[in-house]
Amino acid sequence: MKNPSSLHWDEEPFEAIVSNPPYSIKWEGDDNPLLINDPRFSPAGVLAPKSKADLAFIMHSLSWLASNGTAAIVCFPGIMYRGGAEQKIRKYLIDNNFVDCVIQLPDNLFFGTSIATCIMVLKKSKKDNSTLFIDATKECVKVTNNNKLSEDNINSILETFKNRVDKDYVSKLVPNSVIAENDYNLSVSTYVEQEDTREVIDITELNKEIARIVEHEALLRAEIDKIVAEIEVGA
């Protein structure tokens, strides 16, 4: 896991970090006794699992983020809800108010994977002790077999991000105390209600329609029986 400052010695810490690290790759983790004292990872008090380095990349980016900076990191969704060391790292991030926003993206968006990834936005100097959750799964256009973010889709997500308010089925600003009560689960679906697009059925009207059909069927049955009886008499 390389240090970004090795390429930008005169610019660190960074006011803007954008990263799309590899998903759930292996790393040394606690096999390397030096890593728990590495200033990038030690603040959380625990290392990301050896088989899943995702949150190590997030801690790495956070360590090089300026106090007035913003980092946007594309993440594998599993790191938002899995337990163990990953939960402890999420606890560190939330308790220290570093997570500004989590954006759930549509599936089939990135080359080589069909999973619905998400973006974690980090800040070190937030004004509120809350985290914004955005469901952007409908913000896409279909291109052959894949989805794509259009300019309009991107602007819509950015507008929701900037407004930082609740919007039905789209966004929810959640106090960090509530996230703590939810065992530091950062899945967007935990906080943003899904719109029910199923057809609304009026049970009263449905029963009336069934009654009309049964009545009509009875009349037809009676007419058929009458015709059959006449045929049998004439036979």
Side-chain angles (χ1 to χ4, degrees), residues 106 109 136 138-142 147-160:
L109 200 60
K138 293 182 176 61
E139 291 288 352
C140 63
V141 291
K142 198 76 172 176
N147 291 320
K148 179 181 178 181
L149 293 179
S150 68
E151 199 69 31
D152 288 342
N153 295 141
I154 294 171
N155 289 335
S156 177
I157 295 170
L158 285 174
E159 192 68 21
T160 302

Side-chain angles (χ1 to χ4, degrees), residues 8-68:
H8 307 278
W9 289 111
D10 299 328
E11 301 173 19
E12 54 101 16
F14 305 102
E15 294 183 358
I17 296 175
V18 178
S19 176
N20 183 11
Y23 304 145
S24 300
I25 65 168
K26 296 179 180 180
W27 76 310
E28 290 179 294
D30 56 17
D31 278 348
N32 184 343
L34 299 178
L35 288 177
I36 194 58
N37 295 314
D38 188 309
R40 295 174 294 170
F41 313 119
S42 59
V46 66
L47 297 172
K50 287 181 289 187
S51 60
K52 303 176 183 70
D54 307 76
L55 280 164
F57 284 107
I58 288 175
M59 292 294 293
H60 172 82
S61 295
L62 179 66
S63 70
W64 291 105
L65 186 64
S67 59
N68 64 335

Side-chain angles (χ1 to χ4, degrees), residues 68-96:
N68 64 335
T70 301
I73 306 163
V74 181
C75 303
F76 182 78
I79 70 167
M80 300 298 175
Y81 58 81
R82 291 189 298 229
E86 291 181 311
Q87 183 189 42
K88 292 177 181 177
I89 297 173
R90 293 197 306 271
K91 180 181 187 301
Y92 164 77
L93 295 172
I94 291 297
D95 287 352
N96 287 277

Side-chain angles (χ1 to χ4, degrees), residues 4 16 24 26 35 48 68 132 135 148 163 172 202 223 228 233:
S24 300
K26 296 179 180 180
L35 288 177
N68 64 335
L132 180 66
D135 184 345
K148 179 181 178 181
N163 289 340
K172 185 77 173 178
D202 188 324
E223 289 296 324
V228 171
V233 169

